[in-house]
Amino acid sequence: MALDRRTLLKASAAVAGTGMMVDVAEAQGRAVINLQLGWITGGNQIGEVCAKQLGYYEAEGLDLRIQPGGPNIDGVAVVAAGRFEVGQVSSSPSLMLAASQDIPVRCFAAGAQVHPFSYISRARNPVRQPRDLIGKKIGTQSTAVILLRALLAKNNIAERDVTIIPIGADMAPLMTGQVDVITGWLTNTTALRVVTDPVVMRLWDTGVRLYALPYYATATTLERRADVLARFLRASGRGWAYAHANRAAAVDLLLKEFPNLNRADELEALEVMLAYAFGPKTATEGWGTMDPDVWREQIDLYAQLGQFSRRTPRLEEVMTLDILRMTNGNRPLIG
């Protein structure tokens, strides 16, 4: 992640130029809460879309506005500069790296309990455990090379024992034999469909435990607008519970919000996404829960790999359980 204080200052200047208020504005008697994504809008927001369409945010006195990200939008910088109230990134390391650069954003809930990032091979040349990577050509995105290095370090495998090949987002290099292993998110079911005999090794199962789809806000928002964040989390949890119980109807609501999506693809992807949004811990602690020990492991591993150029952040600078505690008993207990 390229975010640093210079980037934040530029984002702050852009906010000032728009004349937008940093604090939550009031619109039609409801508190406006903008959710800044780190990607183009899609199925990852099905819970929020359901909550929005079904009036769950309105019932909490909120007006949710989903703000798309993309390659030219640094969502963390936008939220850190105070333009929008809540953000969501694809993976937890982005927030650790931001904290290490003195960018005051903290995670307050996790959208996925286990990260779906995985190493995918074929049955004729399978990789089922980390040691199977030795001698293999591994195709991975440039932004994911650090994840591979973390995996190798965690499992005492020398980087020279594998060949790293930069790839894009599709599975073609695996199918044509250019690589033996390829990386991707298991929730991207459309891309994975072309692999007829997949063998999957999840990053999480190799000992590198990262959170996916973490929600975050600035330290100021967490302090001054904790009640708004708690209302946001309660409504979002209800939306995800609805999607879990009413899958076809939830996808219909998603397509109403984003008509460019394909219904069959989203139905397939939702089945996978729900398996990551819910698990044993959400059955007892509620949707959105997270474990401080998982965060400590991540910080220690990234420090070991020399990823913190300025300093190693403290746990309390990266995440907080305050909003989860405020919503105990009000988030769905689904396993």
Side-chain angles (χ1 to χ4, degrees):
M1 189 185 75
L3 178 63
D4 54 21
R5 293 198 68 81
R6 180 178 297 177
T7 305
L8 178 58
L9 288 171
K10 288 180 179 178
S12 299
V15 172
T18 65
M20 295 182 66
M21 293 181 66
V22 171
D23 288 338
V24 176
E26 293 297 322
Q28 300 176 347
R30 290 175 289 173
V32 175
I33 188 162
N34 293 277
L35 173 61
Q36 174 65 61
L37 306 179
W39 51 84
I40 298 171
T41 50
N44 286 338
Q45 268 54 65
I46 194 167
E48 285 77 27
V49 167
C50 288
K52 180 181 176 183
Q53 296 276 348
L54 296 170
Y56 298 161
Y57 292 111
E58 186 175 0
E60 292 282 358
L62 300 177
D63 181 357
L64 178 74
R65 300 173 186 178
I66 299 174
Q67 305 290 346
N72 298 317
I73 299 174
D74 189 332
V76 176
V78 169
V79 174
R83 181 175 182 184
F84 295 141
E85 297 76 30
V86 177
Q88 189 176 43
V89 289
S90 61
S91 302
S92 47
S94 294
L95 303 182
M96 300 189 302
L97 293 168
S100 76
Q101 293 290 325
D102 298 325
I103 307 300
V105 293
R106 296 175 190 166
C107 178
F108 62 87
Q113 293 300 300
V114 173
H115 205 300
F117 186 85
S118 298
Y119 292 80
I120 300 142
S121 56
R122 302 187 68 183
R124 64 189 184 190
N125 188 18
V127 169
R128 304 183 190 279
Q129 57 186 340
R131 302 301 296 180
D132 294 340
L133 289 171
I134 296 174
K136 297 291 196 298
K137 294 180 291 185
I138 305 169
T140 193
Q141 300 77 20
S142 59
T143 54
V145 170
I146 182 57
L147 301 182
L148 175 58
R149 288 180 175 148
L151 183 162
L152 297 175
K154 188 75 173 179
N155 292 276
N156 299 311
I157 300 171
E159 192 173 326
R160 65 177 179 273
D161 290 338
V162 303
T163 301
I164 302 173
I165 299 176
I167 61 162
D170 66 78
M171 299 287 113
L174 178 64
M175 299 308 293
T176 58
Q178 294 174 268
V179 300
D180 303 308
V181 189
I182 206 163
T183 59
W185 284 47
L186 296 183
T187 50
N188 190 0
T189 54
T190 303
L192 291 173
R193 195 177 296 138
V194 301
V195 185
T196 55
D197 57 343
V199 175
V200 173
M201 180 178 70
R202 299 188 307 184
L203 180 67
W204 181 281
D205 297 330
T206 70
V208 181
R209 302 198 299 170
L210 308 178
Y211 280 123
L213 309 180
Y215 298 90
Y216 66 93
T218 65
T220 298
T221 301
L222 283 160
E223 179 182 352
R224 299 180 182 176
R225 300 284 180 174
D227 180 63
V228 170
L229 296 179
R231 286 185 274 155
F232 164 78
L233 207 59
R234 284 196 299 264
S236 298
R238 287 184 67 191
W240 278 98
Y242 179 87
H244 187 276
N246 306 274
R247 303 181 187 197
V251 169
D252 289 339
L253 291 176
L254 180 69
L255 267 64
K256 183 179 178 181
E257 188 85 7
F258 307 128
N260 59 307
L261 300 177
N262 180 281
R263 189 175 191 274
D265 288 349
E266 296 305 325
L267 279 169
E268 183 180 5
L270 178 58
E271 292 298 321
V272 179
M273 186 64 237
L274 289 173
Y276 287 93
F278 297 99
K281 285 184 72 67
T282 59
T284 57
E285 298 176 14
W287 172 84
T289 190
M290 55 186 181
D291 187 344
D293 287 339
V294 172
W295 282 101
R296 287 191 187 92
E297 286 180 16
Q298 296 177 56
I299 294 170
D300 291 346
L301 181 57
Y302 268 61
Q304 175 189 339
L305 294 169
Q307 290 302 298
F308 301 125
S309 59
R310 177 172 293 185
R311 64 181 179 83
T312 299
R314 301 187 306 275
L315 178 67
E316 60 269 23
E317 294 177 301
V318 176
M319 58 82 69
T320 176
L321 296 177
D322 289 350
I323 310 303
L324 289 171
R325 292 188 181 112
M326 289 176 67
T327 55
N328 275 343
N330 299 120
R331 289 175 285 108
L333 301 174
I334 299 173

